[in-house]
Amino acid sequence: MTNLDQLLFIENVSNARSNIGQQTIRMVKFEPNAVCCWASIHFSIIENDELISRAEVIQVDLEHSGQIYKVCGISNVLTLPQCRGKGYGKQIVKAATDYILRSDVDIGLLFCKPRLESFYVSNGWETQNNSVTRIGSSANYKQYASIRMILLVSDKGKNLCADFENSPMYFQRIW
């Protein structure tokens, strides 16, 4: 659980579509602390004091092929089982994706199971079909089997898109 002393702000970022109801997506920002190693933004839809859907966006620096990239990653996306199929997940991922696109980052990244690939593609993410993701360093790593998806944000990120797909990416931990 995140330390509430680290709460910086709560801001309404988007009104829900009328066919979903009158929920508002709430955005809460946390700074890194002893529990969480990176800054994160939490997006949530809450109705009648019950969490319906949520997603987290983290920001990290990634060294890749001799360059440092600013990266936002989407993680911990969930919608309550009884609320699935009603557009909540799409709305929460859209809010997180829009946030990334407005951020000062080079790329967005997420990792997912094959059954979720089309869901993220429908939200503007591209599959990196030939990508190799490794946890650890080039000298000591484990392959990570999930699908890696990318959102190209800055000119720097867009110009090196092929390099992201054709060269292994190394992460100390996956979000």
Side-chain angles (χ1 to χ4, degrees):
M1 184 167 196
T2 308
N3 182 348
L4 291 181
D5 292 337
Q6 300 297 317
L7 180 65
L8 296 183
F9 63 88
I10 298 176
E11 176 185 9
N12 291 334
V13 294
S14 157
N15 288 328
R17 291 187 214 122
S18 59
N19 65 339
I20 294 177
Q22 296 304 312
Q23 303 82 15
T24 299
I25 294 177
R26 288 195 249 173
M27 182 174 84
V28 181
K29 182 176 182 180
F30 293 93
E31 289 297 320
N33 58 39
V35 177
C36 184
C37 62
W38 41 57
S40 59
I41 307 289
H42 298 255
F43 296 84
S44 59
I45 298 174
I46 298 173
E47 184 176 73
N48 300 324
D49 294 326
E50 182 177 355
L51 178 67
I52 302 292
S53 189
R54 72 168 309 276
E56 181 178 353
V57 174
I58 59 98
Q59 187 167 338
V60 297
D61 289 333
L62 172 69
E63 183 178 346
H64 181 70
S65 298
Q67 299 224 22
I68 301 293
Y69 297 91
K70 292 180 185 177
V71 176
C72 273
I74 290 184
S75 69
N76 298 314
V77 176
L78 71 89
T79 300
L80 290 178
Q82 65 269 26
C83 298
R84 292 180 184 156
K86 298 178 182 177
Y88 294 111
K90 187 162 186 76
Q91 184 181 5
I92 208 78
V93 169
K94 181 183 181 330
T97 301
D98 289 347
Y99 173 83
I100 293 170
L101 289 170
R102 291 189 317 265
S103 297
D104 181 26
V105 298
D106 298 308
I107 60 173
L109 288 174
L110 66 81
F111 305 93
C112 69
K113 303 283 186 218
R115 66 183 172 80
L116 294 171
E117 180 180 5
S118 63
F119 170 76
Y120 289 108
V121 167
S122 74
N123 280 285
W125 292 78
E126 297 176 35
T127 304
Q128 292 204 288
N129 292 313
N130 300 319
S131 67
V132 174
T133 303
R134 296 175 176 167
I135 301 172
S137 67
S138 59
N140 183 21
Y141 62 85
K142 291 183 180 182
Q143 291 289 111
Y144 189 66
S146 289
I147 292 173
R148 187 172 76 214
M149 303 193 76
I150 194 166
L151 186 67
L152 301 169
V153 180
S154 74
D155 288 340
K156 178 180 177 181
K158 292 173 184 173
N159 291 336
L160 294 171
C161 178
D163 187 50
F164 295 131
E165 186 159 6
N166 297 320
S167 300
M169 279 188 172
Y170 293 88
F171 299 87
Q172 290 306 307
R173 64 179 57 129
I174 298 294
W175 47 85

